[in-house]
Amino acid sequence: MPLLKIDDREIEVAAGTTVLDAALANDIEIPHYCYHPVLEIVGSCRMCMVEIEGMPKLQVSCNTRIGNALPDRKVDGMYDMVVSTKSDIVKRARENTLEFLLLNHPLDCPVCDQAGECFLQDYSFRYGRAHSRFEDEKRVRPAEDLGAGVVINQNRCIMCTRCVRFTREISGTGELFVQQRGNSTKISILEDKPLDNLLAGNVTDICPVGALLSKDYIHRNRIWNLDRQPSVCQECSVGCNVDIYHKNGKVFRTSARENLDVNGYFICDTGRYSYHDYEAVERVTSPMIRKDKKWQKISWDGAFKEIFEKLGRKKEGDSNNVAGIFSPFHTSEANFMFARLMQNVFKERAVIGTLPLPKEEEKKFPGGFRISGDCSPNWRGLTEVSSYIYEDIFNELKKQKIKLMYALDDGVNRELTQEWKDLLRNLDFLVVQTYAMTPLAERAHLLLPGAAPLEREGTLMNDSGRIQWLRPVIPLKGSSRPDWKIVMEVMNTVGKRELDYSHVNEVLAEMNERIPAYEGVTFFKLGESGMSINEEARES
Amino acid sequence: MATIVKSYEPTFWDRLYIPALVKGLMVTIRHIFKKKVTIQYPDEKHIPPEGYRGLHRLNKFDDGRIKCVACEMCAAACPSHCIHIVPDASPWEEGKERYPVRFDIDLLRCIYCGFCEMACPEEAIELTEIYDFADYTRESFLIDKDGLLEVYEMTKDENFYLREKENAA
């Protein structure tokens, strides 16, 4: 393998690696704009210039590959390449490049939403000169709407063409292109073909400056005011890693978090803007009981007592069985506790299953990005914690003439079929644990307020068997409680148990012992990137 | 290391006390004939010098638009976290595309250090010479955008207290 010397460090790299890749992998900073790990290399920004011994001029490190030198051509008799990233000539080259990039830049950081995470700011501060020598009028061009909630501020663009390459290589739609040349160069769309794909929002993430902006976030807050919470997208079974930026219990934006085992560097727009859907629902924030067709608030103790009276006592007759509806939208912890409730408390009286699940067509993009057809984030985890489960419980309910039901609600606003409506109407007692007033919740006799998607804590397992840590972003609303806690309380009341888990990691510890797939899983080990159950199996 | 302090041994001249008495009285007598420093506040107002850091104001352009672009640099620089801004896209066609929908300052938290006016890239927020804004409730010390623009109207032309004095005369 070629031996590379960068500054004072010796690094052995595989032949064919670029200098920039080798440097970044070893925590040596080389400033760059146009380079992106998954996009084609163009070497157009000229920011990553380095000095290489034996080459007459500076080279762009993103497009210079390291190979094996002939024995008599090795530097000092041992190095295949000697790179300097800190010499005076490199510093001068960076200064000059930045000065050129900033020639027409409006320097409107006070109104720019990229300020705070802008690479022009960072690199100017670290490598640039303090003032510009450009004396003429700056080029001023109007902002344009590119479609799909993306606007471009042409003045701030530095023509790195990351966005153009993204639409060509990752989304495969190719809406963006470079129009004109020289001083008039700009990123553009055809008039009749605006940006229109499910990955369009990513161009705002990969833009290193404030040129491409999401209309959703524009002028809404400053990035340094917001808290970043690493989280997992709950819109489909891929489980993309996301960062959720929030402040005072309000979410301001979602952006992709890098995880090469799951989503790479991107997320889809459905997940990006999903927090609006969670905000828009009508929340259930306190336990409510239906009396004379009206909702009446009751205390938690009152609610548990009601469940005990209706579900806990065995009555004469054939309608004694309790249907337990699981939800693949909930965390594995909530479903695990629910499985324990059904299997250990109701025992032979339990009939368990799920409601019909929303299914869509799976979408695949040329860059390898996938949007699953299964809209639930945790179907795989649900099947792990509860082995015998009816995917669509309808026929079983009809056959057994079930009169009692306890449901974990998906929280998805979907229309129930007429058959389901009839079945739900004929129930004697329906408990729904939910955060939103869904069609199912509207038909309940008792409502237990659970946590909303962004309030939940626990683990989710995506469809490739990767367990990921879902962290709470915003605090619980009203008197709602975490779902696993509600189920635990029901177990205590109905089953006369004395479970007392105070935190979700105690539930996870219990799962370690009972569920094979969850053996040895702790939140600490899951960290930000999660762990695959397949890896686990390989290790042991 | 301990320091040895020698006590002062008063001389005979000192022990008379009368020379010292006269010396002290001379200072008093000298000041009787000088210009008076005391101001009859609140009948008469102190006029602060240029650069005094009092009540805040938000500046406007000549056409009435607010200069502030809600960049929140002042809020970031503020050591007492007393500035709260809600930004949005501006309603006007010309000029900056961003403006503050709300701009609240908690005057009780503020320590009047002037970091906000130093941080402001648009020269929008400034501290004025107004110092007497005492009130009876805490709520009245929460000044909003309209209040800050009003302070601008009050102080834009000349020193607030000078004008008050002229008006009184």
Side-chain angles (χ1 to χ4, degrees):
Chain A
M1 290 218 293
L3 187 62
L4 170 73
K5 188 179 177 189
I6 299 188
D7 300 333
D8 297 325
R9 286 177 63 184
E10 292 176 9
I11 302 162
E12 232 180 315
V13 291
T17 318
T18 63
V19 175
L20 185 60
D21 274 334
L24 293 180
N26 289 284
D27 291 333
I28 297 166
E29 199 195 3
I30 298 177
H32 58 272
Y33 291 114
C34 68
Y35 168 84
H36 190 277
V38 291
L39 300 177
E40 198 195 341
I41 295 164
V42 290
S44 67
C45 72
R46 315 312 279 180
M47 195 61 207
C48 65
M49 299 277 229
V50 290
E51 190 182 2
I52 297 174
E53 212 156 294
M55 296 204 184
K57 291 178 182 172
L58 298 183
Q59 300 293 315
V60 278
S61 61
C62 65
N63 206 9
T64 307
R65 293 176 193 276
I66 305 154
N68 283 305
L70 293 171
D72 58 322
R73 300 288 296 273
K74 291 201 189 233
V75 183
D76 295 343
M78 55 192 291
Y79 302 116
D80 294 274
M81 192 181 270
V82 175
V83 176
S84 169
T85 69
K86 291 191 178 102
S87 63
D88 285 341
I89 187 166
V90 174
K91 279 182 188 163
R92 220 161 50 236
R94 283 175 188 164
E95 265 179 23
N96 293 340
T97 306
L98 264 175
E99 201 179 350
F100 273 124
L101 289 175
L102 290 170
L103 271 193
N104 285 305
H105 192 83
L107 292 178
D108 56 350
C109 302
V111 298
C112 177
D113 282 291
Q114 190 83 2
E117 49 180 10
C118 174
F119 285 95
L120 275 176
Q121 282 184 334
D122 293 354
Y123 291 160
S124 298
F125 183 69
R126 263 177 268 170
Y127 309 110
R129 60 171 95 233
H131 55 90
S132 169
R133 292 170 294 181
F134 187 60
E135 285 174 349
D136 297 299
E137 289 258 313
K138 289 193 178 193
R139 182 186 63 201
V140 180
R141 295 188 294 203
E144 285 169 37
D145 192 341
L146 295 182
V150 179
V151 282
I152 183 164
N153 186 317
Q154 301 284 9
N155 299 331
R156 297 179 193 148
C157 181
I158 57 164
M159 295 311 294
C160 70
T161 69
R162 272 188 185 185
C163 49
V164 174
R165 281 173 286 150
F166 176 85
T167 57
R168 285 185 188 162
E169 295 160 27
I170 308 295
S171 69
T173 43
E175 295 102 338
L176 299 177
F177 65 99
V178 179
Q179 194 183 31
Q180 303 208 358
R181 52 186 186 169
N183 198 40
S184 326
T185 326
K186 63 173 190 173
I187 304 292
S188 189
I189 46 166
L190 291 174
E191 253 172 45
D192 56 340
K193 201 168 174 295
L195 205 53
D196 178 30
N197 64 68
L198 268 176
L199 299 182
N202 287 303
V203 295
T204 63
D205 276 358
I206 60 171
C207 183
V209 301
L212 289 163
L213 296 163
S214 169
K215 268 190 195 166
D216 188 52
Y217 177 66
I218 200 165
H219 302 321
R220 284 192 67 205
N221 214 316
R222 307 299 283 182
I223 195 68
W224 56 82
N225 286 337
L226 305 179
D227 295 324
R228 181 188 79 101
Q229 178 69 295
S231 184
V232 179
C233 176
Q234 298 174 62
E235 287 296 303
C236 82
S237 62
V238 173
C240 290
N241 287 209
V242 293
D243 278 330
I244 295 181
Y245 291 83
H246 64 103
K247 184 184 164 189
N248 299 339
K250 189 171 158 49
V251 177
F252 281 88
R253 74 166 193 187
T254 310
S255 67
R257 179 157 56 87
E258 176 188 332
N259 189 341
L260 295 179
D261 294 314
V262 185
N263 56 320
Y265 298 86
F266 309 114
I267 53 170
C268 72
D269 281 6
T270 317
R272 184 180 297 272
Y273 304 125
S274 62
Y275 70 91
H276 290 302
D277 302 342
Y278 305 147
E279 278 169 2
V281 296
E282 189 190 338
R283 277 296 295 267
V284 180
T285 52
S286 63
M288 289 197 286
I289 192 161
R290 188 199 291 278
K291 277 200 178 138
D292 309 328
K293 294 187 176 175
K294 272 184 186 163
W295 290 114
Q296 214 171 59
K297 283 184 185 175
I298 53 168
S299 68
W300 274 104
D301 289 338
F304 293 133
K305 211 172 141 196
E306 187 75 19
I307 295 173
F308 176 69
E309 273 169 17
K310 292 282 165 52
L311 302 183
R313 286 182 194 152
K314 277 197 174 183
K315 289 185 204 115
E316 297 302 310
D318 58 353
S319 62
N320 226 337
N321 287 358
V322 179
I325 306 289
F326 284 81
S327 167
F329 286 81
H330 280 263
T331 58
S332 297
E333 281 72 14
N335 280 319
F336 168 72
M337 291 301 285
F338 198 67
R340 279 177 80 187
L341 171 74
M342 285 295 147
Q343 287 160 9
N344 301 349
V345 176
F346 293 121
K347 290 177 188 161
E348 67 279 358
R349 289 169 62 205
V351 183
I352 59 176
T354 63
L355 295 179
L357 294 173
K359 283 267 194 303
E360 279 171 24
E361 207 179 317
E362 174 160 311
K363 294 186 193 76
K364 272 203 159 176
F365 293 88
F369 191 86
R370 181 171 66 95
I371 301 172
S372 168
D374 178 5
C375 300
S376 61
N378 198 25
W379 173 254
R380 182 85 185 262
L382 171 58
T383 52
E384 291 287 347
V385 297
S386 180
S387 47
Y388 60 102
I389 206 160
Y390 298 102
E391 189 167 336
D392 193 344
I393 202 176
F394 184 76
N395 292 330
E396 202 57 34
L397 296 182
K398 201 115 201 204
K399 206 164 72 193
Q400 297 194 21
K401 294 196 178 114
I402 301 280
K403 289 285 176 195
L404 306 169
M405 188 190 273
Y406 182 178
L408 287 183
D409 191 20
D410 298 337
V412 181
N413 193 10
R414 61 161 170 245
E415 272 308 307
L416 295 164
T417 58
Q418 194 56 43
E419 286 176 319
W420 265 102
K421 282 181 190 166
D422 293 341
L423 190 139
L424 293 175
R425 197 177 303 128
N426 291 330
L427 289 176
D428 280 348
F429 191 62
L430 170 61
V431 190
V432 176
Q433 186 174 321
T434 183
Y435 73 95
M437 228 11 158
T438 58
L440 177 67
E442 278 164 13
R443 289 170 172 78
H445 299 99
L446 181 65
L447 282 181
L448 303 176
L454 294 177
E455 297 163 8
R456 289 175 191 151
E457 180 165 25
T459 60
L460 297 174
M461 194 189 288
N462 75 359
D463 52 11
S464 63
R466 192 175 192 82
I467 303 171
Q468 304 197 89
W469 182 358
L470 176 69
R471 291 171 225 223
V473 177
I474 49 181
L476 287 163
K477 263 206 180 129
S479 61
S480 49
R481 293 181 183 182
D483 293 276
W484 59 269
K485 215 167 203 167
I486 300 171
V487 180
M488 184 185 81
E489 297 280 353
V490 173
M491 274 175 90
N492 287 347
T493 328
V494 180
K496 303 266 190 298
R497 305 296 163 102
E498 279 172 358
L499 296 173
D500 187 23
Y501 301 131
S502 58
H503 192 262
V504 69
N505 60 15
E506 292 169 41
V507 185
L508 189 64
E510 188 70 31
M511 285 166 74
N512 282 188
E513 289 170 18
R514 293 173 188 244
I515 313 291
Y518 274 82
E519 202 180 326
V521 174
T522 60
F523 284 122
F524 183 72
K525 275 193 196 167
L526 289 177
E528 285 202 4
S529 57
M531 59 202 270
S532 170
I533 52 168
N534 307 326
E535 273 169 40
E536 271 288 283
R538 259 208 312 276
E539 274 169 16
S540 57
Chain B
M1 210 182 82
T3 328
I4 297 158
V5 181
K6 276 188 185 165
S7 60
Y8 176 70
E9 212 40 61
T11 58
F12 173 73
W13 190 250
D14 290 335
R15 275 162 196 272
L16 277 178
Y17 293 114
I18 290 166
L21 204 80
V22 174
K23 215 168 150 190
L25 213 58
M26 280 306 287
V27 174
T28 314
I29 292 163
R30 204 161 61 231
H31 274 274
I32 287 174
F33 302 105
K34 277 191 177 171
K35 201 185 153 204
K36 277 176 199 148
V37 184
T38 314
I39 294 172
Q40 293 303 317
Y41 188 85
D43 298 334
E44 196 184 329
K45 294 272 172 72
H46 165 62
I47 295 165
E50 194 81 347
Y52 182 85
R53 302 195 302 264
L55 186 64
H56 316 68
R57 77 177 191 197
L58 277 178
N59 293 345
K60 286 197 265 189
F61 287 111
D62 293 339
D63 60 357
R65 274 187 294 121
I66 190 168
K67 272 190 179 177
C68 175
V69 297
C71 70
E72 301 191 31
M73 292 316 292
C74 49
C78 182
S80 55
H81 303 299
C82 67
I83 305 178
H84 305 280
I85 301 169
V86 178
D88 204 354
S90 59
W92 42 77
E93 288 287 308
E94 309 228 323
K96 291 281 165 47
E97 54 192 288
R98 189 183 168 106
Y99 88 121
V101 183
R102 292 189 59 183
F103 196 115
D104 301 332
I105 299 180
D106 186 343
L107 295 174
L108 290 177
R109 285 195 81 147
C110 179
I111 59 165
Y112 303 94
C113 62
F115 280 11
C116 47
E117 58 177 343
M118 273 191 259
C120 186
E122 305 286 331
E123 297 183 350
I125 191 166
E126 270 178 6
L127 298 184
T128 63
E129 63 277 3
I130 299 177
Y131 55 82
D132 55 341
F133 42 95
D135 213 325
Y136 293 99
T137 58
R138 284 177 181 277
E139 289 73 33
S140 58
F141 285 97
L142 293 171
I143 190 166
D144 61 357
K145 190 173 96 174
D146 296 335
L148 289 163
L149 291 171
E150 220 169 274
V151 177
Y152 172 73
E153 294 297 339
M154 272 153 50
T155 55
K156 64 177 174 180
D157 297 328
E158 58 174 323
N159 191 302
F160 178 69
Y161 296 104
L162 265 180
R163 200 179 54 190
E164 212 173 49
K165 202 170 157 189
E166 279 165 19
N167 288 351

